[in-house]
Amino acid sequence: MCPQIEQTLKDVFGFASFRPQQREIIEDLLAGRDAFVLMPTGGGKSLCYQLPALHRPGVAIVVSPLISLMKDQVDALKAQGIKAACYNSALEAQEARQVLARLHGGELDLLYVAPERLMSEDFLGRLRELQIALFAIDEAHCVSQWGHDFRPEYIQLGRLRQKFPGIPLIALTATAEPHTRKDIIARLNLEKARCYLTSFDRPNIRYTVLEKKRPFNQLLDFLDGRREEAGIIYCLSRKRVEQLTAKLQEAGFAAASYHAGLSGEERSRVQEAFLRDDLPLIVATVAFGMGIDKSNIRYVVHHDVPKNIEGYYQETGRAGRDGLNSEALLLFGMGDVALARGLIDNSQNEERRRIENHKLAAMVGFAQATGCRRRVLLGYFGETLAADCGNCDTCLDPPEMVEVTEDARKALSCIYRVNQRFGLGHVVDVLRGSKNQRLLELGHHRLSTYGIGADRDKDYWQALLRHLIHLGYVEQDVGNFSVLKLHQSSRPLLRGEATLQMGRPRTKPAPTAEAG
Ligand code: ADP
Ligand code: ZN
């Protein structure tokens, strides 16, 4: 349709051919049509608006949420000889004036703008006097409360479509489950846009979830033989990042920390070293990785459970961009889930709490899945796999299902007998007939459920109680010392009208998952 775009692809961007759907999207924009693009990270979204920006008269306006990302993109474009600039609050007054002068002088092909800048009356007024090639809204999920990274300043972007009729608008995101997707389209008024949905599957990434237990040892086992490989370990807090880095260094690993509490200088030093392959291992909070383009990351470990599947997918997705086999390991601990839930419940906004709890529950569901992990993951994004993937822990070694109806009943009665006023540890102690002082003082050794589970070990009972919690039969009152309470849905189980099975928890990878 437009032979010059092939030439530009080769001459300016240096690529031999288009990736799936890039051509169609570009041709849409060139024809003046809107597009909504859902493509995984690394799929090649930027080209979809950068290339047509060079072929349509006027300047392309690109909205991006993070100043650092903007700068990286603009630097990369300049290096390719493309006339690009950014306009944001990080600029000195002098620099800002220069950018505006170039804008008005028609000297720019692309201008990256922060959303609040773009939607200011002053800036919109300027744009009305100029020829505009297209609008591109990157990280479009930021407009949705349902997205995991809502940014209020994105809301205003909804006015763009009406304000500039006739100028094509493209919205792009790497993370949007069906609900968020609909919300983005509605909020940006993109009902007429063509939707491009590429598969989110990353077949070369192997997903493994282990029940978190003595995590440092689990990590050492995992890292054994991977010392030279590039990898990232994500932790929930800065403190955990620091602690883990120290322990890894002590154990002889070349590891460094990365989190938002470090100086900008230190952060760039660590990131540069990692990109240059001088430093194999980074321990980080989720602050690390946005916009980093390193193809040979061989593994991503989540030391703590992520808050939602969007984050998990995005972070694990940094592994294996080169298409070679890579690992995604999650150490799943119920304590971390309780912690995350506590943080959510602290939030003031009730709507937010509801959404985040829902997302956390989906994450827990993924970790607890006994079927193909990839199915659960992709299913969350509205995608269905034709067959089980054969490259996740549950496919490679299906968990053994054990019949736990009778034991579940014992556990439920025990919670009832201690008047639903004690936490998980104590309930396990009563079940196992522990002789600890506090238990004896409470007189709990005289309960009918005392010692009825002595035939099973502590780990088993903990896992079973967690299973009951995940399934909603038992509630853990986070605001009240994590006391266990029966939910009414547990009644059929207690009365013997329902049965229960549980996948045997695994703390070590399946032998087959280790090979290869
Ligand atoms: P996204 O924004 O979707 O995460 P990018 O636009 O940053 O992805 O592209 C990811 C990588 O793929 C970049 O290194 C980019 O240069 C490369 N890329 C994009 N399109 C092509 C193509 N047609 N051929 C080869 N490489 C490409
Ligand atoms: Zn699978």
Side-chain angles (χ1 to χ4, degrees):
M1 190 179 144
C2 179
Q4 301 100 305
I5 67 173
E6 303 270 359
Q7 208 57 47
T8 308
L9 181 73
K10 292 191 184 86
D11 296 348
V12 180
F13 293 94
F15 300 140
S17 58
F18 285 108
R19 294 236 181 105
Q21 303 204 309
Q22 282 179 330
R23 172 194 292 279
E24 290 81 350
I25 296 165
I26 289 167
E27 286 179 348
D28 259 356
L29 289 175
L30 291 179
R33 287 187 293 265
D34 294 347
F36 175 70
V37 175
L38 187 62
M39 206 185 257
T41 306
K45 285 187 286 301
S46 335
L47 188 81
C48 299
Y49 57 83
Q50 288 171 350
L51 195 152
L54 306 181
H55 278 268
R56 278 182 66 91
V59 58
I61 303 294
V62 184
V63 185
S64 174
L66 290 178
I67 290 173
S68 57
L69 288 192
M70 263 187 224
K71 190 175 174 308
D72 290 348
Q73 291 245 13
V74 168
D75 288 346
L77 287 169
K78 283 185 184 160
Q80 283 163 315
I82 296 171
K83 291 171 282 174
C86 38
Y87 186 64
N88 58 40
S89 56
L91 296 187
E92 305 278 341
Q94 169 71 12
E95 294 172 297
R97 272 197 299 276
Q98 272 173 9
V99 170
L100 291 180
R102 292 177 69 202
L103 175 70
H104 286 285
E107 293 171 31
L108 290 174
D109 287 320
L110 290 117
L111 181 66
Y112 283 70
V113 197
E116 63 280 8
R117 280 275 159 130
L118 168 60
M119 298 314 289
S120 73
E121 280 313 314
D122 171 62
F123 198 78
L124 291 175
R126 290 173 186 279
L127 290 188
R128 273 186 215 103
E129 295 165 15
L130 297 170
Q131 186 156 36
I132 297 174
L134 58 92
F135 287 103
I137 301 179
D138 208 359
E139 312 287 348
H141 58 275
C142 293
V143 78
S144 170
Q145 294 245 22
W146 271 95
H148 65 297
D149 191 15
F150 172 60
R151 287 168 192 259
E153 61 275 20
Y154 258 63
I155 291 284
Q156 291 299 320
L157 297 172
R159 289 155 55 214
L160 268 186
R161 187 54 298 164
Q162 276 95 348
K163 279 194 180 285
F164 296 90
I167 296 174
L169 195 155
I170 176 173
L172 313 98
T173 176
T175 57
E177 39 74 46
H179 199 91
T180 314
R181 189 188 309 162
K182 285 200 201 89
D183 198 31
I184 297 173
I185 289 172
R187 285 179 186 274
L188 294 178
N189 294 299
L190 283 176
E191 284 83 4
K192 295 210 182 77
R194 265 182 71 182
C195 290
Y196 290 91
L197 314 178
T198 28
S199 171
F200 272 54
D201 191 14
R202 299 286 309 281
N204 60 316
I205 299 179
R206 172 152 57 205
Y207 301 98
T208 303
V209 180
L210 295 180
E211 190 88 12
K212 189 173 186 175
K213 194 146 178 252
R214 293 204 277 147
F216 191 64
N217 290 349
Q218 289 177 311
L219 266 184
L220 290 183
D221 281 348
F222 176 81
L223 294 175
D224 189 29
R226 294 195 166 97
R227 268 177 200 261
E228 310 292 319
E229 296 180 349
I232 309 174
I233 303 176
Y234 283 108
C235 301
L236 259 189
S237 67
R238 296 175 190 181
K239 199 169 131 210
R240 284 199 187 174
V241 167
E242 298 281 348
Q243 288 168 343
L244 186 56
T245 306
K247 279 173 89 174
L248 285 167
Q249 285 171 345
E250 229 168 84
F253 285 88
S257 300
Y258 187 106
H259 57 69
L262 298 171
S263 71
E265 228 170 285
E266 172 67 2
R267 289 207 305 263
S268 355
R269 193 187 64 77
V270 169
Q271 178 163 330
E272 290 302 314
F274 185 63
L275 290 177
R276 281 196 314 265
D277 290 326
D278 284 344
L279 171 74
L281 176 52
I282 292 216
V283 186
T285 59
V286 293
F288 182 73
M290 273 258 228
I292 110 162
D293 194 3
K294 180 174 171 66
S295 63
N296 64 341
I297 297 175
R298 288 277 69 83
Y299 63 87
V300 169
V301 176
H302 282 89
H303 182 273
D304 310 315
V305 71
K307 289 192 289 240
N308 50 52
I309 291 190
E310 286 92 336
Y312 173 76
Y313 177 82
Q314 193 137 58
E315 285 133 31
T316 54
R318 296 190 175 122
R321 295 265 179 87
D322 53 12
L324 301 177
N325 286 343
S326 308
E327 300 287 338
L329 173 67
L330 165 63
L331 299 182
F332 179 70
M334 215 41 217
D336 295 336
V337 175
L339 212 68
R341 210 167 269 149
L343 289 178
I344 293 172
D345 289 339
N346 275 339
S347 138
Q348 297 298 315
N349 180 331
E350 192 184 327
E351 171 72 355
R352 218 41 258 148
R353 273 204 305 271
R354 196 175 62 78
I355 294 172
E356 289 186 9
N357 270 317
H358 170 88
K359 287 183 182 244
L360 180 63
M363 185 66 226
V364 171
F366 168 82
Q368 300 261 301
T370 46
C372 174
R373 237 23 105 201
R374 196 176 308 269
R375 270 184 193 270
V376 180
L377 192 60
L378 295 178
Y380 182 79
F381 296 113
E383 209 177 316
T384 36
L385 273 182
D388 283 355
C389 79
N391 192 28
C392 71
D393 55 351
T394 49
C395 275
L396 290 164
D397 187 34
E400 191 188 333
M401 297 305 286
V402 281
E403 167 65 42
V404 291
T405 310
E406 196 51 45
D407 287 339
R409 217 173 290 148
K410 288 181 185 172
L412 294 170
S413 344
C414 193
I415 293 170
Y416 182 74
R417 291 289 161 212
V418 298
N419 290 323
Q420 312 188 61
R421 284 174 49 204
F422 292 85
L424 196 145
H426 187 76
V427 171
V428 172
D429 278 351
V430 174
L431 280 165
R432 300 198 62 248
S434 154
K435 295 196 172 50
N436 88 47
Q437 194 60 31
R438 180 153 169 271
L439 189 154
L440 299 176
E441 280 167 16
L442 287 161
H444 283 174
H445 56 298
R446 287 192 292 269
L447 295 174
S448 61
T449 51
Y450 181 75
I452 56 173
D455 54 330
R456 300 282 196 171
D457 66 13
K458 219 174 181 155
D459 291 344
Y460 171 83
W461 285 112
Q462 284 181 351
L464 177 54
L465 281 163
R466 282 174 195 144
H467 190 52
L468 290 168
I469 293 168
H470 299 324
L471 294 174
Y473 292 129
V474 172
E475 287 168 323
Q476 199 169 22
D477 191 346
V478 179
N480 180 23
F481 307 103
S482 298
V483 159
L484 300 186
K485 297 190 164 145
L486 300 185
H487 187 265
Q488 56 179 13
S489 62
S490 66
R491 279 190 205 144
L493 199 55
L494 262 171
R495 286 198 297 253
E497 293 161 11
T499 61
L500 187 68
Q501 292 200 316
M502 174 174 78
R504 203 183 283 288
R506 267 200 288 244
T507 54
K508 282 193 162 46
T512 40
E514 273 292 73

